[in-house]
Amino acid sequence: MATADHIKALIRSHSEGDEERFYAIALQVAAQAARQGHTKMAKELRDLVDRAKAHGEPPAQGQKTKPVPIVQPRGELAGLLTASFPTIRLADMALDQSVRSRLERILLEQRQREKLRAHGMSPIQKLLLVGPPGTGKTMTASALASELGIPLFTIRLDGLITRYLGETAAKLRLIFDAIQQTRAVYFFDEFDALGSERATKNEVGEIRRVLNSFLQFLEQDDSDSLVAGATNHPQILDKALFRRFDAVIEYGLPSADISEQVMRARLALLDTSKVDWSAAAEAAEGLSHSEVTRACEQAAKNAILQQHTRIDTGEVVEALRERRAVHR
């Protein structure tokens, strides 16, 4: 449950009137309770924080809002992992229903993992997320961590991969030791840098040895953590990798309905009564979720700078066309 550091941090933030910091630390206490199996207590704490935030006031000007992470990698791991404590929920994401259903199944099995293990079964724990850039793979890792009340550790490939013989594999072992010791979502972004096909002619011997080590560590892992890899280039991954993951989830460019959901959510603070969403969705065809989001942000900024809060179809479509031009 709450450690002495948590309690001191809670008292300090309360005495300083730092409401956002207080809530962030309370969520960290909930995350620790969840890691220790106290799921009911963790849920109650999160519900209390959500209700308090819903009835509270926005932070005063100059008030600190950055969370104070209690769980942080130390020593050699500090150069290999970046810790964060996401708050995005799965319901906040605009996803294809088939992808959403698979993620909900993963969350169900993780929340009921003790029940599954009591019957000799293991929950889904190793995920490979594949698809074009900007389609929600990184956000998925954040949402899974948030939904489960555990930290997100992103592996820093620049710190992991070195040119010295054996050093990368040794660092990889440190990461998998951490995976065993601290329950979290461990996210390998741009996974193709680590998991490229061993038979590739241009591949160096060190990377082949690293991939062999990764495959062994992944197969031996029986922790409570979630291990997720994401790649935009699944075609260059070693075929043996696909057998080691419990689930491979494919992300695609958004449909017209999903694009509309993204645009409605991003423009919700403006008057959109003059927007023809069908025309806007047609203009968004071929763009990723993140590109649609950025186009909407540009359109919203244009409206705000012109000192009006109403946005029309032409402004949205023009921003989408500009984004498409940048994309090309």
Side-chain angles (χ1 to χ4, degrees), residues 46 50 86-95 100 103-104 136 139-140 142-143 146-147 258 261-266 289 293:
R46 293 190 67 149
D50 289 343
T87 57
I88 186 171
R89 309 306 288 264
L90 197 59
D92 300 329
M93 298 180 63
L95 294 168
R100 184 181 300 279
L103 295 177
E104 288 173 346
M139 192 177 291
T140 292
S142 295
S146 177
E147 292 283 357
I258 297 297
Q261 288 180 40
V262 172
M263 290 187 284
R264 284 182 179 274
R266 201 67 194 92
H289 300 69
T293 298

Side-chain angles (χ1 to χ4, degrees), residues 101-315:
S101 296
R102 297 194 69 186
L103 295 177
E104 288 173 346
R105 176 59 187 232
I106 290 165
L107 291 172
L108 174 63
E109 292 196 16
Q110 280 291 313
R111 288 166 177 152
Q112 300 291 328
R113 64 188 186 282
E114 296 304 330
K115 182 184 293 186
L116 291 174
R117 284 176 176 156
H119 290 80
M121 299 180 184
S122 298
I124 296 172
Q125 179 225 352
K126 301 156 189 171
L127 317 174
L128 182 59
L129 315 178
V130 302
T135 50
K137 301 184 296 296
T138 300
M139 192 177 291
T140 292
S142 295
L144 291 173
S146 177
E147 292 283 357
L148 294 172
I150 56 180
L152 170 65
F153 289 131
T154 301
I155 285 74
R156 297 174 51 184
L157 292 181
D158 61 329
L160 173 62
I161 299 176
T162 73
R163 59 190 178 90
Y164 298 108
L165 183 65
E167 187 173 320
T168 301
K171 290 183 176 182
L172 200 56
R173 180 178 290 279
L174 283 176
I175 292 172
F176 273 89
D177 286 344
I179 289 171
Q180 288 284 340
Q181 295 166 8
T182 303
R183 185 174 188 238
V185 174
Y186 290 82
F187 184 54
F188 292 81
D189 201 2
E190 298 182 4
F191 186 65
D192 41 278
L194 184 66
S196 57
E197 172 62 55
R198 285 172 290 185
T200 303
K201 292 181 179 179
N202 295 329
E203 198 55 87
V204 297
E206 174 67 354
I207 292 298
R208 288 199 295 271
R209 284 188 288 271
V210 169
L211 180 53
N212 286 334
S213 296
F214 181 86
L215 291 171
Q216 291 173 6
F217 292 146
L218 193 64
E219 190 163 13
Q220 294 167 3
D221 178 39
D222 60 353
S223 68
D224 284 333
S225 295
L226 272 174
V227 179
T231 179
N232 305 328
H233 307 287
Q235 70 278 4
I236 68 173
L237 291 183
D238 191 285
K239 300 300 183 290
L241 277 169
F242 291 89
R243 298 195 300 272
R244 301 309 201 283
F245 285 98
D246 301 325
V248 179
I249 303 178
E250 296 186 25
Y251 293 72
L253 295 177
S255 64
D257 288 342
I258 297 297
S259 291
E260 181 177 334
Q261 288 180 40
V262 172
M263 290 187 284
R264 284 182 179 274
R266 201 67 194 92
L267 297 173
L269 296 180
L270 298 176
D271 179 356
T272 58
S273 59
K274 297 295 184 180
V275 175
D276 180 343
W277 294 111
S278 296
E282 184 178 348
E285 185 179 358
L287 296 178
S288 69
H289 300 69
S290 65
E291 288 166 336
V292 173
T293 298
R294 289 177 182 175
C296 289
E297 288 173 352
Q298 185 62 42
K301 288 178 184 178
N302 291 342
I304 292 168
L305 292 173
Q306 293 170 20
Q307 298 184 342
H308 63 85
T309 58
R310 175 176 290 181
I311 192 166
D312 60 30
T313 306
E315 291 171 303

